[in-house]
Amino acid sequence: MKKYTYTEKKDTRSGFGAGLHEAGKRNENVVALCADLVGSLKMDAFIKDFPERFVQVGIAEANMMGIAAGLTISGKIPFTGTFANFSTGRVYDQIRQSIAYSNKNVKICASHAGLTLGEDGATHQILEDIGLMKMLPGMVVINPCDYNQTKAATLAIMDYEGPVYLRFGRPVIPVFTPEDQKFEIGKAWMVNEGTDVTIIATGHMVWRAIEAGEQLAELGIDAEIINIHTIKPLDEEAILKSVKKTGCVVTCEEHNKFGGLGESVARLLTTEYLAPQEFVAVNDSFGESATPDQLMTKYKLDPADIVAAAQKVMKRKV
């Protein structure tokens, strides 16, 4: 198992804030909009340096999506910012009609996704957003794994022409990917090559998959770990190559098992290469109020749960 270390922990939302600020420096057409959550979205640096390119919409998320769509007509590249729950569920009609249907170049940037929003509870935690957004024709869906990758993804979507959903979170997590990385939309990142089981993870679950891989190695199990930061378009070639080698797969996501990364992988396997699969995901449930670690344990998203899923799926290999 390849050894990954880190010297600091940062929140992925701060990676977005740093990426947005850098994007503003690189392209004068980058504009930002926020629904009264500037501090939570880490937009302060952008606003300080480019106040004329910022719109504080207030608690009017649907209006924010409509304004963003309109700004693209004059060549602007709008980045919208609010919590993932309000970036998707609250404004789905506006995204579908005003952004996705007409293929507008809007970057929907969503913080506080998943269970790790923590104490704010089920009304603010969303576990359905990946499913909602990946079903929209033409929508790119990205869920990076740490601060550096989130910053790189933010810069990459600036150069991509078309609607994008960028999902990130609140808690501080290890920073373990390279600072100077090149982020390729739709291109998986091989975390560790292995032969016994494929573990495909996204977002905060990538580090937990690495921890699980280390535990599996102690048990004599050689896990191949893949970071799928882009859920749509899915890197089908990388997934199939891995599963054909290992013969089984575990998918890991901080999302409902219905509609997320796991289902995208299952669709691929049923059409291209049948192999047993286990899901490490929330089991058809809303969240609740607790600390992020308490929630990840209760909803079975810990490294131990990945290890158990890997052991189970390996027994199902033909």
Side-chain angles (χ1 to χ4, degrees), residues 233-273:
L234 190 66
D235 191 342
E236 298 183 352
E237 181 181 356
I239 293 169
L240 289 172
K241 180 180 179 181
S242 178
V243 177
K244 286 177 181 179
K245 176 172 61 172
T246 65
C248 59
V249 61
V250 175
T251 51
C252 312
E253 58 193 311
E254 188 188 344
H255 187 271
N256 195 332
K257 71 177 183 180
F258 296 109
L261 168 65
E263 282 204 345
S264 289
V265 173
R267 175 197 55 77
L268 174 64
L269 296 181
T270 56
T271 56
E272 298 293 336
Y273 185 80

Side-chain angles (χ1 to χ4, degrees), residues 5-310:
T5 59
Y6 63 93
T7 58
E8 62 179 340
K9 292 183 176 182
K10 290 184 178 181
D11 47 346
T12 49
R13 60 177 173 156
S14 289
F16 163 71
L20 178 65
H21 186 223
E22 182 63 28
K25 294 178 182 177
R26 295 186 187 185
N27 192 326
E28 63 181 10
N29 284 319
V30 169
V31 296
L33 303 88
C34 191
D36 202 33
L37 287 168
V38 167
S40 294
L41 270 290
K42 305 296 183 182
M43 289 180 159
D44 304 85
F46 181 92
I47 296 168
K48 181 182 180 212
D49 286 351
F50 313 108
E52 74 286 356
R53 289 194 260 152
F54 173 71
V55 180
Q56 175 56 274
V57 179
I59 306 175
E61 294 87 355
N63 288 348
M64 180 170 66
M65 296 302 169
I67 294 168
L71 285 167
T72 66
I73 297 171
S74 61
K76 302 302 181 185
I77 307 172
F79 285 69
T80 69
T82 186
F83 288 179
N85 194 14
F86 310 143
S87 289
T88 57
R90 179 171 287 185
V91 294
Y92 197 68
D93 179 64
Q94 284 74 24
I95 293 173
R96 182 183 187 275
Q97 305 290 51
S98 299
I99 297 173
Y101 179 64
S102 52
N103 197 39
K104 291 293 192 294
N105 191 31
V106 176
K107 317 307 173 186
I108 302 166
C109 304
S111 184
H112 294 58
L115 288 170
T116 47
L117 173 52
E119 293 84 351
D120 284 1
T123 58
H124 284 53
Q125 298 158 351
I126 190 162
L127 301 168
E128 316 91 64
D129 56 315
I130 290 174
L132 287 169
M133 300 305 282
K134 78 177 187 179
M135 286 190 296
L136 290 170
M139 182 68 69
V140 168
V141 179
I142 297 174
N143 189 36
C145 67
D146 73 352
Y147 172 95
N148 286 340
Q149 193 167 82
T150 307
K151 180 179 179 181
T154 304
L155 291 168
I157 67 175
M158 172 188 68
D159 295 325
Y160 174 82
E161 183 69 30
V164 176
Y165 179 61
L166 178 64
R167 183 189 207 248
F168 43 92
R170 176 187 187 183
V172 293
I173 59 172
V175 181
F176 61 96
T177 68
E179 185 176 0
D180 60 350
Q181 66 188 275
K182 179 183 178 182
F183 187 93
E184 295 184 62
I185 295 172
K187 186 70 173 175
W189 177 50
M190 179 63 71
V191 179
N192 185 71
E193 294 189 14
T195 57
D196 295 331
V197 58
T198 297
I199 300 175
I200 297 174
T202 188
H204 294 149
M205 293 299 291
V206 175
W207 181 255
R208 289 173 180 253
I210 291 171
E211 293 179 313
E214 293 172 347
Q215 294 177 26
L216 287 166
E218 293 176 359
L219 299 172
I221 298 172
D222 187 18
E224 181 147 295
I225 303 172
I226 301 175
N227 169 16
I228 295 290
H229 51 65
T230 307
I231 297 169
K232 182 187 176 188
L234 190 66
D235 191 342
E236 298 183 352
E237 181 181 356
I239 293 169
L240 289 172
K241 180 180 179 181
S242 178
V243 177
K244 286 177 181 179
K245 176 172 61 172
T246 65
C248 59
V249 61
V250 175
T251 51
C252 312
E253 58 193 311
E254 188 188 344
H255 187 271
N256 195 332
K257 71 177 183 180
F258 296 109
L261 168 65
E263 282 204 345
S264 289
V265 173
R267 175 197 55 77
L268 174 64
L269 296 181
T270 56
T271 56
E272 298 293 336
Y273 185 80
L274 288 175
Q277 177 180 351
E278 290 292 329
F279 295 74
V280 176
V282 177
N283 186 19
D284 194 25
S285 172
F286 290 102
E288 59 186 293
S289 297
T291 67
D293 284 342
Q294 288 172 331
L295 291 167
M296 296 294 269
T297 297
K298 176 171 181 177
Y299 290 88
K300 299 187 180 303
L301 302 180
D302 278 341
D305 300 301
I306 302 173
V307 169

